[in-house]
Amino acid sequence: MPSPSSTQSHIMGVYSRAGLAFERGEGVWLTSTTGERYLDAVAGIAVNALGHANPVLIEALTAQAHKLWHVSNIFQIPEQEALAKRLTDATFADVVFFTNSGTEAVECALKTARKYFAHKGQPERIDIIGFDGSFHGRTYAAVNASGNASYLEGFGPRLPGYLQIPFGDMAALKAALGPTSCAVIIEPVQGEGGARVLSDSQLREIRQLCSDAGALLIYDEIQCGLGRTGKLFAHDWAPGSEPDIMCVAKALGGGFPVGACLATTEAASGMVFGTHGSTYGGNPLAMAVGCAAFDLLNDEALLDHVKSVAGYLTQQLSGLKDRYPDIIEDLRGKGLLIGIKIKPNNREFMQMARDEHLLIAGGGDNCVRMLPPLNITLDEARELIARFEATCDRARKAATA
Ligand SMILES: *Cc1c(COP(=O)(O)O)cnc(C)c1O
């Protein structure tokens, strides 16, 4: 089979793709179209949180596929009620809107927040405040809310009512909050921005500042949520920091496209009949997989496992940082959302990792990220470290060659 780059592609060129395609996966392993096995610490960017070809998810998908795939949201969808009940039982939220992606969950969150104030007779409250380096998706409102100006370039004027402040700058946040504030949107642990973590006390302070200013707090837990940090949600590490609205996606379908916007009854009070909708969002097929994935993820034993494997990886990586100070600059992240700020170019380093048959992701601030499936075994974690060390070795040799 020709390599993907050697043929004329009919796909829009918006991605920088490695010259590698896969045929099958099992757990943390991917097999390429040329029959080579790779250890997958990208996991679809935190999507395949339960590993590839998870038998429980396959069973849920195929059982539902034989019954009913799709019906319109003009009918009752019991499978939606089932997943919404799980999500609200496990969180601050009372109600859920289902989407097919993360960015749609963010759109719903932003619309919910704006509508809340319009509905309450405060239409002047439109300002959405976010942090530099944040990523909230690629649709129009989401790129305006994201803290990366390059995503907006060439797409027309910036939408009014979106502000960015320096990451974690509490004084700037306090100054930005005022009578026209609608909501603060943050990732408790930044993903694309390079695995930057907000401390528990910062999260609580942000919650307090929002409450004091009468603004809503939106968490984007699309990447850091659903067990990734060793708690069901990243903000669960900071009791008292609960948001009014939260976006989830990625791991929620374990590879099937599902997203959700969760809210309290109060925050969702403007979202009445006719204000929002989706053709596919929450269809029975997606919900069946979502319920099965959620039940596997919302499990203390799995969350304990995440904490212990993450502890092992962090300890090993700090050993590597000591031995490779010329390669590794800084370790970041939380749980199995691991960021490694490196000195060589991160794109080149990712290629060297692929040469060691290890798949890792990039990130802002010249980071590489590891987001392996949450059920990665300790033996596989050892193998991951061995391959990462070999990659550091390659990078050192390349630098001194
Ligand atoms: C991936 C991601 C999104 C966007 O999700 P899509 O499914 O790609 O639309 C939004 N926010 C965060 C934090 C993400 O990691």
Side-chain angles (χ1 to χ4, degrees):
M1 181 191 160
S3 80
S5 54
S6 71
T7 50
Q8 171 66 45
S9 176
H10 299 287
I11 308 292
M12 273 194 200
V14 298
Y15 301 110
S16 157
R17 296 177 194 267
L20 198 54
F22 300 101
E23 197 164 81
R24 53 197 308 117
E26 195 189 348
V28 303
W29 300 97
L30 278 173
T31 304
S32 71
T33 47
T34 54
E36 290 177 76
R37 253 160 72 92
Y38 288 80
L39 202 167
D40 183 14
V42 176
I45 322 253
V47 166
N48 308 99
L50 296 160
H52 297 281
N54 184 293
V56 176
L57 300 188
I58 292 174
E59 172 56 30
L61 180 78
T62 50
Q64 186 62 41
H66 286 285
K67 290 198 285 186
L68 182 66
W69 293 20
H70 180 84
V71 289
S72 166
N73 276 309
I74 66 175
F75 301 105
Q76 306 281 326
I77 301 183
E79 296 83 358
Q80 258 182 47
E81 296 290 348
L83 184 51
K85 174 144 182 30
R86 284 165 167 79
L87 288 167
T88 53
D89 281 352
T91 63
F92 70 94
D94 306 307
V95 291
V96 181
F97 180 86
F98 287 108
T99 67
N100 315 290
S101 65
T103 200
E104 290 170 89
V106 169
E107 294 286 325
C108 180
L110 297 171
K111 288 178 76 174
T112 300
R114 287 249 177 110
K115 199 72 172 181
Y116 172 72
F117 287 109
H119 191 71
K120 287 216 321 179
Q122 294 177 275
E124 70 285 0
R125 281 193 172 263
I126 63 158
D127 291 340
I128 310 283
I129 304 168
F131 279 157
D132 284 341
S134 65
F135 179 73
H136 300 299
R138 295 289 199 159
T139 49
Y140 266 112
V143 286
N144 277 273
S146 293
N148 186 336
S150 72
Y151 293 155
L152 277 164
E153 254 165 51
F155 295 119
R158 206 174 223 296
L159 295 177
Y162 289 88
L163 281 71
Q164 268 77 36
I165 57 173
F167 176 82
D169 185 335
M170 293 300 147
L173 180 58
K174 205 168 178 176
L177 282 162
T180 58
S181 298
C182 172
V184 171
I185 181 168
I186 51 167
E187 304 160 79
V189 180
Q190 281 192 352
E192 303 305 303
R196 286 195 290 185
V197 184
L198 287 166
S199 70
D200 297 352
S201 64
Q202 282 175 312
L203 288 179
R204 276 191 283 264
E205 192 179 345
I206 292 166
R207 169 69 274 179
Q208 191 59 49
L209 289 173
C210 287
S211 300
D212 292 349
L216 296 173
L217 176 59
I218 304 171
Y219 284 152
D220 178 345
E221 290 234 15
I222 290 169
Q223 187 160 149
C224 62
L226 290 165
R228 181 59 46 195
T229 67
K231 295 266 191 195
L232 186 60
F233 290 101
H235 75 270
D236 292 343
W237 287 99
S241 73
E242 289 73 22
D244 303 289
I245 301 173
M246 180 166 74
C247 308
V248 297
K250 292 204 162 102
L252 186 58
F256 198 92
V258 194
C261 173
L262 284 61
T264 61
T265 306
E266 171 70 11
S269 55
M271 298 304 273
V272 298
F273 168 68
T275 53
H276 199 46
S278 169
T279 295
Y280 291 117
N283 85 8
L285 199 51
M287 295 297 97
V289 181
C291 284
F294 185 81
D295 290 343
L296 293 175
L297 293 165
N298 185 25
D299 170 15
E300 280 308 320
L302 178 72
L303 298 175
D304 285 343
H305 175 77
V306 169
K307 287 181 226 130
S308 83
V309 176
Y312 167 79
L313 288 174
T314 311
Q315 180 204 7
Q316 294 296 309
L317 287 169
S318 59
L320 289 180
K321 178 172 178 278
D322 292 340
R323 298 217 299 287
Y324 292 91
D326 48 328
I327 306 294
I328 300 176
E329 191 170 319
D330 189 23
L331 299 175
R332 299 171 180 176
K334 193 155 189 163
L336 289 178
L337 201 174
I338 300 169
I340 305 150
K341 183 170 160 67
I342 54 169
K343 292 187 177 168
N345 175 280
N346 61 351
R347 299 272 140 201
E348 286 167 21
F349 189 86
M350 284 156 63
Q351 177 55 49
M352 292 182 218
R354 286 194 290 273
D355 293 339
E356 296 295 335
H357 287 203
L358 169 65
L359 305 175
I360 54 177
D365 204 19
N366 204 49
C367 277
V368 292
R369 272 175 305 158
M370 295 188 189
L371 319 115
L374 305 184
N375 52 10
I376 181 174
T377 66
L378 201 53
D379 275 346
E380 290 162 342
R382 278 193 201 97
E383 188 57 37
L384 191 164
I385 289 295
R387 293 179 190 209
F388 191 78
E389 176 162 13
T391 307
C392 290
D393 227 41
R394 257 180 205 266
R396 175 176 282 171
K397 284 186 185 119
T400 52

